[in-house]
Amino acid sequence: MMSGGGGADTVGSLLASIAMSLTEALRILMFADKRQWGPDEFEQIRVLEAALDEAKKDFQEMAPLVHGQFYYQNDRTGASLVELRALQAKFAAHAQNFRDWVRTGGPINPIWARETSELKRDLHRAQCRAARRIFSAEQDQPRCLGAFQVYRQQRRAEAERARRQRAQSERPPWQQQHEQEVEAQQQQDQGTAEPGNPSRRKTSLEDLVPVCNSVGRFERLGRHDAAYVCDFCDGFLIWHDILRVPAARTPLPPGSTYPNWQATGLTSGAEDGVPVGTEKQVVFPPLAIANHVPPDEGDFRARILCPYCDEYTYLDQGGQDSEEEMRYAQDERGFADVDKFREHLEWNHTALPVPAIPVISSSVSNCRVM
Ligand SMILES: [Zn+2]
Ligand SMILES: [Zn+2]
Ligand SMILES: [Zn+2]
């Protein structure tokens, strides 16, 4: 199973070799004399099992994202092989610890369990990135595979809702009307209604928070900022001057026909003269996450595409409003960061306060001003 020279390596062969190191470490522990064992030894078994399970689970989950197992396994993208080879060496050295330990005896080094968990995380990200590289090379889609995962979740939820609506339309009319009223009320309560076009109503972006957390993670960045870091592209989405990332959107004023992209954040005191905890409107994170593009070479910031400008490419809805609706309002690589994206949303997809500067665009899909 071990590949001789590095030349024959594939994603699959390197992952197999890593799995072998883990399996071997586990076997050593399983067959060791357990009479003197304390909690550290059992914890070590647990984390090794968890690492092996996660590696398998990720392997199984990545494959269908990139045209199946054969494809993923035989991939030879240079950057992926470099990363996985480095990890393979680390996992081999890690397994060697247990070989040495079983020869010398005595209590296990409790630091190894932490190392196992760190390696597990590194391997998870390496698999995410390997899949994303295949995805990026194959697809016309500029969005990151991580963003695409969030988008797919949204699609599934939308399909489910459409199915419910169909089931509903087969009921007696008096019952339908009642149910529609209930749903409209619920959406208004959640601020998720998109009036004027019920067939294209979106699922609640709030429902996407869990999948966002599985695709990457939120962290503090310095004293004032918050960042989302994607496991699939290592890209950073940064919210400047914010205490905490908001988990829900700000309800739209009743009757608004604009998309609901805003959430209320609290300032963290980065700006002179603005007291800590002042409310401000920010881009709701799942919206930016679902639309991010891997960073440009040499940059760490993920770029963002506006979903309201290019729904035609993203939603591949085809049919009636395809050609005419095509608008190349934005650069195909999107906006440089969350702040630029927010400026765009403010100018193009937000109702202006009534007596303010003249209205630039009047409908959701009218977005040409950059
Ligand atoms: Zn994983
Ligand atoms: Zn990403
Ligand atoms: Zn736009």
Side-chain angles (χ1 to χ4, degrees), residues 167-179:
Q168 200 182 70
S169 64
E170 285 154 17
R171 308 238 186 86
W174 55 268
Q175 201 179 348
Q176 280 176 38
Q177 176 159 16
H178 171 70
E179 280 163 3

Side-chain angles (χ1 to χ4, degrees), residues 144 146-147 230 232-235 292:
C144 172
C230 174
F232 286 80
C233 67
D234 271 339
H292 79 273

Side-chain angles (χ1 to χ4, degrees), residues 102-113:
V102 83
R103 267 198 295 274
T104 54
I108 207 163
N109 185 345
I111 287 174
W112 295 340

